Amino acid sequence: CLEKSCEADVSHHCGLTPDVFTLIGHAGVALMIFESGMHFDFERAMVVGPKACCVAVLGTILPLITGTILTVIYGKPLLPDGISVGTALAPTSVGIALRLLGEAGVLQQDFGQAIITAAFVDDILSLILFNVLFSLRGDFDVIKVVVFPVVGVIFMGIAMVGAVKFWPYVISDIILPRIPQKNASAKVSSSDEALFVIMFALLIVYGTITHFLGTHLWGCFIAGMSFACVKPLHHPHHVWVKQTKRMTSWMIRIFFACTVAFSIPVSKLLSIEAFLKGSLMGIGPCILTKVLCAPFMGDAKFVIGWAMVGRAEFAYLIAQMAAAANMIDEDTFSICIWALLYATIFAPFIFRTVLNRYVARQGFAIDNEAASKQQGDEDDLAFVEDHAMHSTQQQAKNKLDFGAPEVEPSAYGRATAAGPADLADVSLEDDLESPTRAGKKPGLHSRKAKDQEQLVRKGNGLLCCLFYKKAFLS
């Protein structure tokens, strides 16, 4: 008991002053969860809400219960080990389902909306579980375990009402119209700058509030939801992604490589016992419970079920933080990682196959325009808009401002050697439709296809980090 108490005390102080890699990784997860909250659609949730909420509840409770039971069968205590593993298996990755549904062009179908709504509600329930889990550290405290989560739920309810009624009016009708506008040549408007500052401020405020209630991640998601109804719809998300996408991507890579991977005991992870137990945990509580969470959804039950299987950053974060807080030992942590890897690797491929077969069987009319829009990366959209604005401003300048000093010609922000005549030849349509024009770099579609091919080849990268640690850092 004395040894565990000392370990818990050391873990607590390390959590208060994390190393730089852990700090960057956790900050990236916070930004990712904030962005995820901005995807929440209140109107769609009202349409498919009841059944989707039932799917989310089953998709959260079943992995929690079965993961806890199997952990106890493995000889670990119920508290905190069993509950920690069950909580780590509960979250669903909404990003995987969102992308594949968009690629298939069925995001607007009822089953597509049910999947997205269920995934978001699942995230909310998992955040509540996460909050309760880390309130269980140490001796039982009614305030931390009961009162704080209840206060957090009440705060979330009030914030959701504010997201629908308060923030859209205050931001769109009061604050932004009063912001002094820049000249027409500005790349980022004053309104977008003000909106970004408001988003970042609300992220910090809500994250701080829920930090004292258990976890800052809860507040990050609620803060993101607060901008889901701000008009024009999806514009706040576009502004946020335009400024933070590359930074967040690198932070998430650091999270997987230097937070999760470096905390895994490689010798135990690669043991036969951990692999077999992790395989059983992955096939049963991690995958099958999600697949079977929509028995009342008719023909789409297995499509919805496989859509709920995917796991991403949040699940690994719960496992890593539980291990860092000594709530699970190294053996249990390795088993949990194997289980999550099963879902992370197999879910996208199987869901894509099941989805395509269901779409073909039902004969849905594919919305190619919506699918193309969904496939388009937010960063690419920002790239296109910036180029369109730059082209318009440059044409106006060439026609009207003959006395202006010459500037270095550029295309898409890259210097060109051919001069203004070459810049005038560059057009958005040419870049989109003819990616192999002589003397120019590949266009947007070619670049996206190449990126997608690299993503397929690249994989998750987590196992590479583990072997790197084993070979060079052990």
Side-chain angles (χ1 to χ4, degrees), residues 322-333:
N326 289 314
M327 301 179 74
I328 56 177
D329 57 23
E330 292 183 345
D331 294 330
T332 307
F333 183 45

Side-chain angles (χ1 to χ4, degrees), residues 24-25 27-32 35 196 200 203 240-255 379:
I24 293 174
V29 174
L31 295 178
M32 184 70 72
E35 181 185 338
F196 182 78
F200 210 91
L203 169 64
W240 179 264
V241 169
K242 183 179 178 180
Q243 300 297 329
T244 65
K245 182 178 180 63
R246 292 180 177 86
M247 177 178 65
T248 303
S249 298
W250 278 103
M251 285 181 168
I252 293 300
R253 291 166 183 166
I254 291 175
F255 167 75
D379 186 46

Side-chain angles (χ1 to χ4, degrees), residues 47-298:
V47 175
V48 297
K51 288 187 176 181
C53 288
C54 292
V55 172
V57 170
L58 288 177
T60 303
I61 297 299
L62 290 179
L64 172 66
I65 295 175
T66 56
T68 300
I69 292 175
L70 190 56
T71 303
V72 173
I73 293 176
Y74 287 162
K76 306 300 180 181
L78 176 64
L79 287 175
D81 298 59
I83 299 297
S84 299
V85 173
T87 303
L89 300 181
T92 293
S93 173
V94 67
I96 296 174
L98 190 66
R99 176 173 292 276
L100 294 181
L101 287 170
E103 290 177 358
V106 293
L107 188 58
Q108 301 302 322
Q109 299 291 337
D110 288 343
F111 80 93
Q113 294 305 310
I115 290 173
I116 298 304
T117 303
F120 278 122
V121 176
D122 186 289
D123 281 348
I124 294 174
L125 295 176
S126 298
L127 283 167
I128 296 175
L129 279 177
F130 179 70
N131 189 70
V132 173
L133 171 66
F134 286 93
S135 300
L136 296 174
R137 290 178 291 184
D139 298 331
F140 180 82
D141 189 336
V142 176
I143 300 297
K144 291 183 177 180
V145 178
V146 179
V147 176
F148 282 175
V150 171
V151 173
V153 172
I154 295 174
F155 171 70
M156 182 176 66
I158 296 173
M160 291 176 69
V161 174
V164 178
K165 301 293 185 181
F166 178 75
W167 289 112
Y169 170 72
V170 170
I171 293 175
S172 300
D173 298 337
I174 297 179
I175 298 179
L176 296 186
R178 299 184 180 182
I179 300 297
Q181 296 300 316
K182 297 181 179 179
N183 55 47
S185 62
K187 184 176 181 180
V188 180
S189 68
S190 299
S191 298
D192 287 351
E193 290 179 345
L195 180 60
F196 182 78
V197 171
I198 294 172
M199 288 191 288
F200 210 91
L202 198 64
L203 169 64
I204 295 175
V205 171
Y206 280 9
T208 302
I209 292 174
T210 59
H211 168 73
F212 293 107
L213 298 177
T215 171
H216 64 285
L217 298 177
W218 200 357
C220 295
F221 189 86
I222 298 172
M225 293 174 62
S226 301
F227 298 91
C229 295
V230 175
K231 296 182 179 180
L233 295 178
H234 308 299
H235 180 68
H237 178 256
H238 168 73
V239 172
W240 179 264
V241 169
K242 183 179 178 180
Q243 300 297 329
T244 65
K245 182 178 180 63
R246 292 180 177 86
M247 177 178 65
T248 303
S249 298
W250 278 103
M251 285 181 168
I252 293 300
R253 291 166 183 166
I254 291 175
F255 167 75
F256 276 112
C258 304
T259 302
V260 176
F262 282 7
S263 63
I264 295 176
V266 178
S267 60
K268 295 185 180 295
L269 180 74
L270 300 180
S271 66
I272 298 298
E273 181 183 2
F275 173 73
L276 294 177
K277 290 182 177 180
S279 299
L280 182 59
M281 182 79 72
I283 295 172
C286 193
I287 293 180
L288 285 182
T289 54
K290 293 284 189 178
V291 173
L292 302 176
C293 69
F296 44 81
M297 297 300 288

